[in-house]
Amino acid sequence: MTATTVPVTVRYFAAARAAAGHEEETIRIRPDLTLAELVAQLAERDAALAKVLKRCSFLLDNVAVRDTDVAIGNARTVDVLPPFAGG
């Protein structure tokens, strides 16, 4: 098994950006890492971010993801979208 990692840019919006303390970051991950595993890693960093992540939806390369057990694979961006008010 190889320890190959790939870069992925995580972009935070609204309350997620406030909780993360920045708009985006690029991290290196295993291509087989699931979205749920990535979210768990992000949540471990900070309690406020963990709380927001529980309510968020996610996009992989601008495509909505309903099943967080999906591998991130070749995606270049993960967007973290908290619920938005209004409509």
Side-chain angles (χ1 to χ4, degrees):
M1 183 163 116
T2 62
T4 302
T5 61
V6 295
V8 64
T9 299
V10 181
R11 301 187 299 191
Y12 302 97
F13 293 86
R17 177 177 43 225
H22 47 272
E23 190 169 308
E24 71 178 47
E25 64 181 310
T26 300
I27 58 176
R28 296 196 67 85
I29 63 165
R30 299 182 333 267
D32 64 339
L33 190 76
T34 67
L35 181 56
E37 291 171 322
L38 174 62
V39 170
Q41 286 180 10
L42 297 173
E44 288 177 5
R45 297 180 182 178
D46 180 82
L49 181 57
K51 185 176 178 180
V52 172
L53 289 171
K54 290 178 185 178
R55 301 186 328 259
C56 289
S57 57
F58 304 92
L59 305 178
L60 292 180
D61 287 344
N62 298 314
V63 177
V65 176
R66 303 274 184 251
D67 179 8
T68 59
D69 289 330
V70 66
I72 294 171
N74 293 325
R76 296 287 181 230
T77 60
V78 176
D79 291 333
V80 181
L81 307 169
F84 293 95

